[in-house]
Amino acid sequence: MKRFKGLSLLLSVLLVLSLGTLAFSQEKGVIEIFSWWTAGGEAEGLQALFDIYNRLYPDVEIINATVAGGAGAHAKAVLKTRMLGGDPPDTFQVHAGKELIDTWVKTGFMEPLTDLFESEGWVEVMPKGILDIVSYEGDYWSVPVNIHKANVLWYNKQIFADNGLNPPQTFDEFFEIADKLQEQGIIPFVLGTKDGWEAAHVFETVLIAKLGAEGYSGLWTGETKWSDPGVTEALETFKKMVTYVNPDHAAFTWDEAYEYIIDGKGAMSIMGDWVAGYFFSKEYTDFGWVPVPETAGIFDALSDSFGLPKGCKNRDNVINFLKVLGSKEGQEAFNLKKGSIPARTDINKDLFDDYQKSVMEDWEKDVIVPSVMHGAAAAEGWVTEFKDVIALFVARPDIEVTQKALVQVAERAGVAQ
Ligand code: GAL
């Protein structure tokens, strides 16, 4: 009898324990995930992460809080209002680098994630260059989900073949090709400027071309002055490029403008490799790519990441989402759709498109520089002013006035000129 009692006690303890674990893995409630990923490729990448999360945590409802507008053109302002108003989303998209550290970490809005990085083994599988830009004072502050390359010139292969052209390696070649295409009634250089940041993106890559990796990086630290003749040259080059764009550029967002390439009406365009994701989503395969002229061997880099804001309502659900983001499965599923490459180095390269394989190689051998338009190089206030000055330049291309304005913007950002 005694033995029976002992056994049944043991059984009930085991039952309670197993129910306990079961209940523990059954996360409930909601998770609000804030981002600007609404365009083709971006939306599919995000959905791929949600699919994994839903499979693992079927009882948690995902609130997909997106604010459309590439580069966070509109999302960042909404995020700021919510964060300052004490209503943070559970987790939000933020660029690794200055945008993360200066805007949200130094100001005390985020929780460190160092324990998670260690328990999940991310410290071993993510490159130092990426770990560095999510670090501050010895802690890790957000989970990088990808690496994007920003200095890519995309082109319609058919148009190039039909006109016997090779993609340009220098700006002289770029302008020669542009003249030939214009004669054929083809838009030489496709641009959409509706959200106000796209021209600045292109200009950033021209700065890299004209100043080189070191000169460009120095712009954000004060080592290169904004009065540098290289900046003048970049403005001259960019001014000329704008004379070849589709006249209706102000009506289109970055992704809408790429319809010109897909339709065979436009030949070349400069943008980051979310464009690859966009092409995948449209099942368009006839695209070619080269580095932006005069930037071969340089990788203009950025990384999207998500963190844990202090005071978020569903902390445990966020931790689980971050685990998905940082996992091998999550990084593969997301990046296959997004056009970027995983931040983890232990992924299966064979799964990826030729374009992405080429970027994986570039990442290994190129000189890496931080993208300014996508939060890696400078604090948000500077980025905003920089983009506004360049947006104005497209409408009123006065080189002297613009260069002076860029000098003043840098000074206001606290970088002596
Ligand atoms: C970037 C972001 C990319 C891509 C792009 C266009 O700032 O890092 O993931 O979404 O904007 O929206």
Side-chain angles (χ1 to χ4, degrees):
M1 189 61 185
K2 240 189 193 167
R3 202 193 277 164
F4 176 74
K5 260 195 183 160
L7 191 66
S8 68
L9 189 69
L10 183 69
L11 280 177
S12 15
V13 169
L14 284 177
L15 187 71
V16 169
L17 276 180
S18 64
L19 279 176
T21 7
L22 207 66
F24 185 68
S25 67
Q26 296 289 303
E27 301 293 351
K28 292 208 164 28
V30 299
I31 175 169
E32 189 194 13
I33 299 167
F34 184 95
S35 80
W36 61 83
W37 284 333
T38 58
E42 302 179 337
E44 285 85 350
L46 190 58
Q47 188 57 48
L49 290 169
F50 291 174
D51 290 346
I52 299 173
Y53 189 85
N54 279 328
R55 196 189 71 225
L56 296 173
Y57 310 100
D59 294 331
V60 179
E61 186 200 337
I62 296 175
I63 301 172
N64 183 16
T66 50
V67 178
H74 310 301
K76 285 183 195 170
V78 175
L79 177 67
K80 196 156 279 177
T81 309
R82 290 191 54 175
M83 294 289 277
L84 300 182
D87 175 30
D90 289 321
T91 185
F92 60 88
Q93 177 188 359
V94 62
H95 289 121
K98 293 275 186 179
E99 185 179 310
L100 165 73
I101 305 299
D102 287 34
T103 315
W104 301 120
V105 176
K106 288 186 182 170
T107 45
F109 283 91
M110 307 302 284
E111 283 194 41
L113 297 168
T114 310
D115 291 347
L116 194 63
F117 268 72
E118 276 162 12
S119 60
E120 294 298 300
W122 296 332
V123 182
E124 283 84 53
V125 295
M126 290 187 187
K128 184 173 180 305
I130 292 296
L131 290 170
D132 282 352
I133 56 174
V134 295
S135 300
Y136 178 66
E137 291 192 338
D139 276 309
Y140 299 113
W141 296 90
S142 69
V143 182
V145 65
N146 65 357
I147 298 168
H148 265 305
K149 181 172 175 179
N151 56 321
V152 188
L153 182 142
W154 306 93
Y155 64 97
N156 178 308
K157 275 181 21 194
Q158 190 64 47
I159 295 180
F160 271 64
D162 290 350
N163 291 279
L165 299 168
N166 290 317
Q169 291 180 18
T170 63
F171 278 104
D172 284 348
E173 287 173 15
F174 176 94
F175 293 125
E176 247 174 64
I177 293 170
D179 283 333
K180 282 192 189 141
L181 292 170
Q182 204 155 41
E183 276 166 27
Q184 305 297 315
I186 294 166
I187 302 161
F189 187 51
V190 169
L191 185 65
T193 56
K194 191 172 176 185
D195 284 328
W197 62 277
E198 305 88 340
H201 177 109
V202 176
F203 182 61
E204 154 179 343
T205 68
V206 182
L207 281 172
I208 297 171
K210 296 301 173 189
L211 289 160
E214 221 183 296
Y216 163 81
S217 300
L219 287 173
W220 314 107
T221 60
E223 266 158 66
T224 308
K225 304 294 174 220
W226 281 88
S227 53
D228 193 282
V231 176
T232 320
E233 216 188 310
L235 284 167
E236 282 161 0
T237 306
F238 184 55
K239 179 176 174 174
K240 193 164 172 194
M241 290 164 82
V242 172
T243 63
Y244 292 97
V245 304
N246 41 304
D248 53 4
H249 60 86
F252 299 127
T253 56
W254 71 266
D255 47 317
E256 289 164 353
Y258 272 79
E259 290 297 320
Y260 276 134
I261 305 265
I262 294 178
D263 292 346
K265 294 182 180 146
M268 301 182 279
S269 188
I270 289 176
M271 206 15 84
D273 47 20
W274 36 95
V275 167
Y278 183 71
F279 287 155
F280 299 158
S281 78
K282 298 282 164 185
E283 291 176 14
Y284 172 69
T285 53
D286 193 37
F287 64 91
W289 69 89
V290 281
V292 166
E294 298 164 32
T295 70
I298 307 176
F299 191 124
D300 186 15
L302 62 124
S303 170
D304 293 301
S305 71
F306 286 77
L308 179 62
K310 280 184 189 161
C312 73
K313 294 180 204 76
N314 301 289
R315 194 177 182 283
D316 291 349
N317 291 344
V318 176
I319 299 283
N320 288 332
F321 181 66
L322 296 179
K323 286 184 184 168
V324 171
L325 275 187
S327 70
K328 187 167 178 285
E329 187 192 3
Q331 301 234 332
E332 285 175 350
F334 172 79
N335 287 290
L336 280 170
K337 302 282 181 192
K338 186 67 168 66
S340 38
I341 61 170
R344 290 179 73 121
T345 48
D346 61 343
I347 44 81
N348 179 2
K349 291 189 180 164
D350 296 340
L351 297 175
F352 288 85
D353 183 79
D354 283 350
Y355 169 71
Q356 289 160 301
K357 284 186 187 136
S358 80
V359 177
M360 290 174 194
E361 280 170 23
D362 295 346
W363 174 258
E364 293 297 322
K365 64 176 172 41
D366 284 3
V367 178
I368 312 290
V369 298
S371 162
V372 67
M373 205 40 251
H374 306 281
E380 223 172 287
W382 193 354
V383 180
T384 307
E385 286 205 73
F386 168 76
K387 106 178 145 54
D388 290 346
V389 168
I390 300 304
L392 194 64
F393 182 71
V394 173
R396 271 195 280 135
D398 184 321
I399 291 174
E400 221 184 296
V401 168
T402 304
Q403 192 160 5
K404 272 196 192 131
L406 289 170
V407 170
Q408 285 163 2
V409 166
E411 276 166 352
R412 270 200 293 280
V415 173
Q417 294 295 303

